[in-house]
């Protein structure tokens, strides 16, 4: 499965807090915003910059010095969460 | 947590934490600046200076929430005081959640607004319409975290000849028209509010100058990048000073406009010739005394002065003013002060003795035969905008409405200077203390 970050989803850091925000054309209360840790924000940005699964996993292994299996597991788990929350769309590879 | 230690957290926030609480006013009688109020001012001061704020032992989180709410600085206060709000021993979960929701709400709306503004300016560019965002949209970038500078709306100035086309574009982008005056049209889409201006300011600030005419020269004091324009710091600062004065004259002002002034003043003062030019403009607008008083207040509240030398304040004025600014909230919307009720009348009643009587008579006839310049801004009489010869028809409509719908209220309003002279005198003394009176 590959995960494509949804249009309008952005990652920001404000006053040290890492946040994922799904912007809306008609914003209302009950906003779509999630707090994440720094690693999750980094992975989100990798996925946004280049949706290619292999590329994201390679960048994760290089950035954090982790093995490929761990990076794949992080990608799949986090990608599924993003898809559930509406921040990404899952597609068959 | 994975085997390697790479931890990924995506924390869904409880729904309650994503909702901004309804505004409420719980103000209790003022006695003196208490520990929480001092903490509130220190937090704002430290925020704009990039410092951490130590939590006093007796800070009251609920009072801090109330102050943050009425002064529209919720996100800033949460970010600056999160140590207090995240301590379950000192702050209950509801208060902590509501404060956090201010922070999250500010970030969310600011990012949505950024995208929407880009969509609008792209459409203006495509249509060949020149535009200049001003006020909060420019000032926010001077804040250490622009996302946390709350804004009720975004103001964009266009040339009078482009006003109709700009408004059509806004409607085409799905905004609904909430026309304010012929000079400003307000547009809403969800939580987004935009004001398209053909004039930067149209109200009298009550000090006998033609501020509206002065700021019609905004386009000549802007740096252009193609069709986009950005106001020159000094001219923008003079405008923000006039705008703050307008709020003081009308309904009052909270602390946020003074934070804006400090940040913009820093930029102006970084260019000595710009600072000198700005002082000259303030002088021309008869706002030098007002700005010097603001400068002294800012120095006491936040440790930062403005463009003019700080005035010498009496302790009595400082205490009364601090109390009132605390109570007023961001644009005086949160107070129930009777003193503010007389603001608009006091603007026209600056004289004493026989001159007061003359002004009162002029005021009375002004209510019966309001001038074209005022009536064209009232939505019910907007049919006269651009057709001054129709003003007798507007007067007749006004008399009929007044006589049949609310004769008592109309009479009280027309006779306001006669029957509420003491309150108006008090209001005028207040404005003179602020350096705004004639």
């Amino acid at each position: 499965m590959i995960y494509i970050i949804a249009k309008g989803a952005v990652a920001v850091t404000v006053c040290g807090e890492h946040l994922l925000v799904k912007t809306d054309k008609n914003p209302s209360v009950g906003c779509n915003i999630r707090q994440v840790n720094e690693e999750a924000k980094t992975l989100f940005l990798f996925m946004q910059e280049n949706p290619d699964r292999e590329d994201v996993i390679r960048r994760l292994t290089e950035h954090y010095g982790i093995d490929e299996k761990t990076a794949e597991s992080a990608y799949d788990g986090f990608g599924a969460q993003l898809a559930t929350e509406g921040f990404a769309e899952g597609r068959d590879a | 947590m994975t085997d390697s230690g790479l931890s990924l957290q995506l924390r869904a926030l409880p729904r309650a934490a994503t909702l901004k609480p309804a505004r409420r006013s719980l103000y209790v009688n003022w006695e003196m600046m208490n520990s929480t109020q001092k903490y509130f001012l220190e937090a704002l001061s430290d925020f704009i200076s990039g410092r951490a704020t130590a939590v006093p032992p007796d800070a009251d989180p609920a009072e801090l929430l109330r102050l943050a709410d009425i002064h529209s600085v919720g996100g800033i206060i949460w970010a600056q005081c999160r140590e207090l709000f995240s301590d379950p021993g000192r702050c209950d979960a509801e208060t902590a959640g509501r404060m956090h929701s201010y922070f999250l709400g500010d970030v969310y709306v600011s990012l949505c607004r950024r995208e929407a503004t880009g969509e609008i300016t792209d459409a203006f560019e495509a249509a060949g319409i020149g535009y200049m965002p001003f006020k909060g949209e420019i000032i926010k970038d001077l804040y250490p975290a622009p996302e946390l500078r709350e804004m009720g709306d975004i103001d964009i100035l266009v040339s009078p000849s482009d006003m109709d086309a700009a408004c059509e574009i806004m409607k085409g982008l799905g905004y609904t028209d909430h026309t304010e005056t012929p000079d400003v049209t307000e547009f809403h889409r969800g939580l987004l509010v935009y004001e398209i201006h053909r004039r930067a300011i149209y109200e009298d600030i009550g000090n006998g100058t033609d501020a509206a005419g002065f700021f019609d020269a905004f386009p000549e004091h802007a740096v252009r990048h193609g069709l986009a324009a950005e106001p020159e710091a000094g001219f923008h600062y003079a405008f923000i000073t006039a705008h703050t004065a307008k709020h003081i004259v009308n309904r009052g002002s909270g602390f946020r406009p003074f934070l804006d002034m400090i940040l913009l003043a820093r930029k102006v003062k970084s260019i000595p010739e710009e600072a000198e030019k700005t002082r000259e403009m303030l002088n021309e607008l008869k706002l030098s005394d007002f700005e010097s008083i603001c400068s002294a207040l800012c120095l006491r509240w936040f440790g930062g002065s403005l463009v003019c030398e700080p005035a010498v304040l009496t302790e009595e004025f400082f205490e009364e003013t601090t109390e009132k600014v605390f109570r007023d909230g961001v644009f005086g919307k949160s107070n129930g002060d009777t003193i503010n009720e007389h603001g608009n009348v006091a603007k026209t009643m600056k004289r004493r003795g026989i001159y007061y009587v003359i002004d009162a008579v002029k005021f009375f006839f002004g209510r019966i035969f309001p001038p074209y310049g005022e009536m064209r801004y009232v939505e019910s009489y907007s049919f006269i905008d651009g057709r001054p010869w129709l003003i007798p028809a507007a007067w007749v409509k006004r008399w009929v409405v007044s006589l049949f719908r609310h004769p008592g209220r109309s009479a009280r309003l027309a006779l306001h200077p006669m029957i509420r002279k003491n309150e108006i005198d008090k209001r005028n003394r207040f404005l003179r203390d602020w350096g705004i009176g004639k």
Side-chain angles (χ1 to χ4, degrees), chain B residues 318-335:
Chain B
F318 176 74
E319 284 177 14
E320 279 179 13
T321 304
T322 304
E323 174 191 337
K324 181 161 166 49
V325 174
F326 260 117
R327 192 172 57 235
D328 276 347
V330 68
F331 289 128
K333 288 177 183 167
S334 308
N335 64 46

PDB file of all heavy atoms in Angstrom, chain B residues 318-335:
ATOM      1  N   PHE B 318      -2.282  55.863  35.072  1.00  0.00           N
ATOM      2  CA  PHE B 318      -1.789  54.533  34.728  1.00  0.00           C
ATOM      3  C   PHE B 318      -2.704  53.443  35.307  1.00  0.00           C
ATOM      4  O   PHE B 318      -3.078  52.498  34.611  1.00  0.00           O
ATOM      5  CB  PHE B 318      -0.351  54.336  35.236  1.00  0.00           C
ATOM      6  CG  PHE B 318       0.156  52.948  34.997  1.00  0.00           C
ATOM      7  CD1 PHE B 318       0.510  52.522  33.722  1.00  0.00           C
ATOM      8  CD2 PHE B 318       0.241  52.024  36.037  1.00  0.00           C
ATOM      9  CE1 PHE B 318       0.942  51.224  33.488  1.00  0.00           C
ATOM     10  CE2 PHE B 318       0.667  50.730  35.815  1.00  0.00           C
ATOM     11  CZ  PHE B 318       1.024  50.329  34.539  1.00  0.00           C
ATOM     12  N   GLU B 319      -3.073  53.613  36.570  1.00  0.00           N
ATOM     13  CA  GLU B 319      -3.890  52.576  37.224  1.00  0.00           C
ATOM     14  C   GLU B 319      -5.287  52.505  36.608  1.00  0.00           C
ATOM     15  O   GLU B 319      -5.797  51.423  36.316  1.00  0.00           O
ATOM     16  CB  GLU B 319      -3.970  52.836  38.733  1.00  0.00           C
ATOM     17  CG  GLU B 319      -2.679  52.456  39.430  1.00  0.00           C
ATOM     18  CD  GLU B 319      -2.705  52.760  40.916  1.00  0.00           C
ATOM     19  OE1 GLU B 319      -3.793  53.017  41.464  1.00  0.00           O
ATOM     20  OE2 GLU B 319      -1.619  52.750  41.520  1.00  0.00           O
ATOM     21  N   GLU B 320      -5.891  53.682  36.396  1.00  0.00           N
ATOM     22  CA  GLU B 320      -7.249  53.703  35.819  1.00  0.00           C
ATOM     23  C   GLU B 320      -7.250  53.098  34.414  1.00  0.00           C
ATOM     24  O   GLU B 320      -8.138  52.338  34.043  1.00  0.00           O
ATOM     25  CB  GLU B 320      -7.765  55.142  35.737  1.00  0.00           C
ATOM     26  CG  GLU B 320      -8.319  55.656  37.044  1.00  0.00           C
ATOM     27  CD  GLU B 320      -8.795  57.093  36.941  1.00  0.00           C
ATOM     28  OE1 GLU B 320      -8.927  57.629  35.814  1.00  0.00           O
ATOM     29  OE2 GLU B 320      -9.009  57.676  38.007  1.00  0.00           O
ATOM     30  N   THR B 321      -6.220  53.475  33.644  1.00  0.00           N
ATOM     31  CA  THR B 321      -6.150  53.011  32.255  1.00  0.00           C
ATOM     32  C   THR B 321      -5.885  51.511  32.192  1.00  0.00           C
ATOM     33  O   THR B 321      -6.513  50.788  31.412  1.00  0.00           O
ATOM     34  CB  THR B 321      -5.046  53.780  31.498  1.00  0.00           C
ATOM     35  OG1 THR B 321      -5.336  55.153  31.617  1.00  0.00           O
ATOM     36  CG2 THR B 321      -4.995  53.400  30.038  1.00  0.00           C
ATOM     37  N   THR B 322      -4.983  51.048  33.037  1.00  0.00           N
ATOM     38  CA  THR B 322      -4.670  49.609  33.051  1.00  0.00           C
ATOM     39  C   THR B 322      -5.925  48.821  33.407  1.00  0.00           C
ATOM     40  O   THR B 322      -6.244  47.811  32.764  1.00  0.00           O
ATOM     41  CB  THR B 322      -3.541  49.323  34.059  1.00  0.00           C
ATOM     42  OG1 THR B 322      -2.424  50.138  33.721  1.00  0.00           O
ATOM     43  CG2 THR B 322      -3.138  47.858  34.025  1.00  0.00           C
ATOM     44  N   GLU B 323      -6.643  49.324  34.391  1.00  0.00           N
ATOM     45  CA  GLU B 323      -7.887  48.663  34.816  1.00  0.00           C
ATOM     46  C   GLU B 323      -8.884  48.608  33.651  1.00  0.00           C
ATOM     47  O   GLU B 323      -9.473  47.576  33.362  1.00  0.00           O
ATOM     48  CB  GLU B 323      -8.486  49.448  35.986  1.00  0.00           C
ATOM     49  CG  GLU B 323      -9.844  48.951  36.420  1.00  0.00           C
ATOM     50  CD  GLU B 323     -10.523  49.912  37.388  1.00  0.00           C
ATOM     51  OE1 GLU B 323      -9.826  50.704  38.044  1.00  0.00           O
ATOM     52  OE2 GLU B 323     -11.757  49.871  37.467  1.00  0.00           O
ATOM     53  N   LYS B 324      -9.011  49.749  32.955  1.00  0.00           N
ATOM     54  CA  LYS B 324      -9.993  49.812  31.867  1.00  0.00           C
ATOM     55  C   LYS B 324      -9.579  48.912  30.690  1.00  0.00           C
ATOM     56  O   LYS B 324     -10.420  48.226  30.116  1.00  0.00           O
ATOM     57  CB  LYS B 324     -10.166  51.265  31.406  1.00  0.00           C
ATOM     58  CG  LYS B 324     -11.181  51.413  30.295  1.00  0.00           C
ATOM     59  CD  LYS B 324     -11.679  52.824  30.164  1.00  0.00           C
ATOM     60  CE  LYS B 324     -12.408  53.019  28.847  1.00  0.00           C
ATOM     61  NZ  LYS B 324     -13.407  51.995  28.556  1.00  0.00           N
ATOM     62  N   VAL B 325      -8.295  48.919  30.356  1.00  0.00           N
ATOM     63  CA  VAL B 325      -7.837  48.096  29.228  1.00  0.00           C
ATOM     64  C   VAL B 325      -8.027  46.607  29.553  1.00  0.00           C
ATOM     65  O   VAL B 325      -8.465  45.828  28.710  1.00  0.00           O
ATOM     66  CB  VAL B 325      -6.378  48.439  28.848  1.00  0.00           C
ATOM     67  CG1 VAL B 325      -5.846  47.483  27.787  1.00  0.00           C
ATOM     68  CG2 VAL B 325      -6.288  49.869  28.335  1.00  0.00           C
ATOM     69  N   PHE B 326      -7.744  46.235  30.788  1.00  0.00           N
ATOM     70  CA  PHE B 326      -8.009  44.855  31.210  1.00  0.00           C
ATOM     71  C   PHE B 326      -9.482  44.516  31.002  1.00  0.00           C
ATOM     72  O   PHE B 326      -9.836  43.458  30.520  1.00  0.00           O
ATOM     73  CB  PHE B 326      -7.669  44.659  32.695  1.00  0.00           C
ATOM     74  CG  PHE B 326      -6.342  43.999  32.914  1.00  0.00           C
ATOM     75  CD1 PHE B 326      -5.323  44.661  33.578  1.00  0.00           C
ATOM     76  CD2 PHE B 326      -6.103  42.705  32.468  1.00  0.00           C
ATOM     77  CE1 PHE B 326      -4.092  44.052  33.784  1.00  0.00           C
ATOM     78  CE2 PHE B 326      -4.875  42.095  32.677  1.00  0.00           C
ATOM     79  CZ  PHE B 326      -3.867  42.775  33.333  1.00  0.00           C
ATOM     80  N   ARG B 327     -10.338  45.466  31.388  1.00  0.00           N
ATOM     81  CA  ARG B 327     -11.776  45.204  31.372  1.00  0.00           C
ATOM     82  C   ARG B 327     -12.346  45.237  29.942  1.00  0.00           C
ATOM     83  O   ARG B 327     -13.260  44.496  29.612  1.00  0.00           O
ATOM     84  CB  ARG B 327     -12.467  46.265  32.221  1.00  0.00           C
ATOM     85  CG  ARG B 327     -13.918  45.975  32.536  1.00  0.00           C
ATOM     86  CD  ARG B 327     -14.462  46.979  33.545  1.00  0.00           C
ATOM     87  NE  ARG B 327     -14.335  48.343  33.105  1.00  0.00           N
ATOM     88  CZ  ARG B 327     -13.720  49.317  33.804  1.00  0.00           C
ATOM     89  NH1 ARG B 327     -13.174  49.061  34.961  1.00  0.00           N
ATOM     90  NH2 ARG B 327     -13.657  50.544  33.327  1.00  0.00           N
ATOM     91  N   ASP B 328     -11.769  46.100  29.105  1.00  0.00           N
ATOM     92  CA  ASP B 328     -12.353  46.330  27.781  1.00  0.00           C
ATOM     93  C   ASP B 328     -12.293  45.122  26.856  1.00  0.00           C
ATOM     94  O   ASP B 328     -13.162  44.922  26.019  1.00  0.00           O
ATOM     95  CB  ASP B 328     -11.662  47.512  27.098  1.00  0.00           C
ATOM     96  CG  ASP B 328     -12.272  48.837  27.525  1.00  0.00           C
ATOM     97  OD1 ASP B 328     -13.357  48.821  28.132  1.00  0.00           O
ATOM     98  OD2 ASP B 328     -11.655  49.884  27.256  1.00  0.00           O
ATOM     99  N   GLY B 329     -11.232  44.332  26.950  1.00  0.00           N
ATOM    100  CA  GLY B 329     -11.096  43.248  25.975  1.00  0.00           C
ATOM    101  C   GLY B 329     -10.645  43.810  24.649  1.00  0.00           C
ATOM    102  O   GLY B 329     -10.478  45.030  24.496  1.00  0.00           O
ATOM    103  N   VAL B 330     -10.498  42.942  23.653  1.00  0.00           N
ATOM    104  CA  VAL B 330      -9.694  43.324  22.482  1.00  0.00           C
ATOM    105  C   VAL B 330     -10.117  44.639  21.827  1.00  0.00           C
ATOM    106  O   VAL B 330      -9.297  45.497  21.583  1.00  0.00           O
ATOM    107  CB  VAL B 330      -9.570  42.163  21.470  1.00  0.00           C
ATOM    108  CG1 VAL B 330     -10.882  41.830  20.790  1.00  0.00           C
ATOM    109  CG2 VAL B 330      -8.516  42.470  20.437  1.00  0.00           C
ATOM    110  N   PHE B 331     -11.386  44.837  21.553  1.00  0.00           N
ATOM    111  CA  PHE B 331     -11.797  46.129  20.997  1.00  0.00           C
ATOM    112  C   PHE B 331     -12.950  46.701  21.807  1.00  0.00           C
ATOM    113  O   PHE B 331     -13.904  47.239  21.277  1.00  0.00           O
ATOM    114  CB  PHE B 331     -12.173  46.007  19.520  1.00  0.00           C
ATOM    115  CG  PHE B 331     -10.978  45.780  18.639  1.00  0.00           C
ATOM    116  CD1 PHE B 331     -10.945  44.737  17.751  1.00  0.00           C
ATOM    117  CD2 PHE B 331      -9.873  46.612  18.724  1.00  0.00           C
ATOM    118  CE1 PHE B 331      -9.835  44.509  16.950  1.00  0.00           C
ATOM    119  CE2 PHE B 331      -8.748  46.394  17.939  1.00  0.00           C
ATOM    120  CZ  PHE B 331      -8.726  45.344  17.049  1.00  0.00           C
ATOM    121  N   GLY B 332     -12.845  46.533  23.121  1.00  0.00           N
ATOM    122  CA  GLY B 332     -13.867  47.100  23.992  1.00  0.00           C
ATOM    123  C   GLY B 332     -15.196  46.370  23.889  1.00  0.00           C
ATOM    124  O   GLY B 332     -16.221  46.880  24.320  1.00  0.00           O
ATOM    125  N   LYS B 333     -15.165  45.162  23.326  1.00  0.00           N
ATOM    126  CA  LYS B 333     -16.431  44.459  23.106  1.00  0.00           C
ATOM    127  C   LYS B 333     -16.909  43.752  24.372  1.00  0.00           C
ATOM    128  O   LYS B 333     -18.017  43.276  24.440  1.00  0.00           O
ATOM    129  CB  LYS B 333     -16.254  43.423  21.985  1.00  0.00           C
ATOM    130  CG  LYS B 333     -16.129  44.079  20.638  1.00  0.00           C
ATOM    131  CD  LYS B 333     -15.878  43.057  19.566  1.00  0.00           C
ATOM    132  CE  LYS B 333     -15.680  43.749  18.232  1.00  0.00           C
ATOM    133  NZ  LYS B 333     -15.136  42.866  17.229  1.00  0.00           N
ATOM    134  N   SER B 334     -16.013  43.642  25.342  1.00  0.00           N
ATOM    135  CA  SER B 334     -16.351  42.803  26.488  1.00  0.00           C
ATOM    136  C   SER B 334     -16.831  43.592  27.694  1.00  0.00           C
ATOM    137  O   SER B 334     -17.120  43.024  28.723  1.00  0.00           O
ATOM    138  CB  SER B 334     -15.115  41.998  26.889  1.00  0.00           C
ATOM    139  OG  SER B 334     -14.600  41.344  25.782  1.00  0.00           O
ATOM    140  N   ASN B 335     -16.841  44.922  27.577  1.00  0.00           N
ATOM    141  CA  ASN B 335     -17.173  45.679  28.780  1.00  0.00           C
ATOM    142  C   ASN B 335     -18.637  46.113  28.772  1.00  0.00           C
ATOM    143  O   ASN B 335     -19.329  46.081  27.769  1.00  0.00           O
ATOM    144  CB  ASN B 335     -16.268  46.903  28.896  1.00  0.00           C
ATOM    145  CG  ASN B 335     -16.479  47.863  27.765  1.00  0.00           C
ATOM    146  OD1 ASN B 335     -17.608  48.163  27.433  1.00  0.00           O
ATOM    147  ND2 ASN B 335     -15.414  48.349  27.160  1.00  0.00           N
TER     148      ASN B 335
END
